[in-house]
Amino acid sequence: MKPGPSGPRRDGWLDRPAPTRLAPDHPLRDEILARHARAVASGLSSYLDPGTGYSVLTAAYLAERGYCCSQGCRHCPWEGAAG
């Protein structure tokens, strides 16, 4: 069995990360959201975080995967996901 919920997607899942995963006042929020939007539009599964250089999975990829891994992904689309 796969970990985490795989039920309904939360409101705004494709465009807005949960506030607990990317604070509304984060100094790089606009750049992060722009990079996420470009990656989704290009069909990419991830983008590079502008602050850390780490690879971040997109909401589209995580939704297509079909389940939550319970690791607190920034763009996790699942309602009630851990993290």
Side-chain angles (χ1 to χ4, degrees):
M1 176 173 255
K2 303 210 188 292
S6 58
R9 295 179 187 153
R10 58 181 178 73
D11 289 340
W13 67 273
L14 188 57
D15 301 318
R16 294 185 322 262
T20 57
R21 295 165 193 222
L22 182 63
D25 61 349
H26 189 288
L28 296 174
R29 183 179 175 85
D30 290 343
E31 178 61 23
I32 289 168
L33 295 180
R35 287 182 182 211
H36 178 259
R38 284 194 301 270
V40 170
S42 299
L44 300 174
S45 60
S46 64
Y47 65 93
L48 293 180
D49 179 87
T52 65
Y54 294 153
S55 182
V56 180
L57 297 173
T58 67
Y61 170 80
L62 294 169
E64 186 175 310
R65 184 176 65 185
Y67 65 94
C68 175
C69 64
S70 299
Q71 296 299 307
C73 297
R74 178 181 286 165
H75 299 285
C76 184
W78 308 111
E79 192 173 289

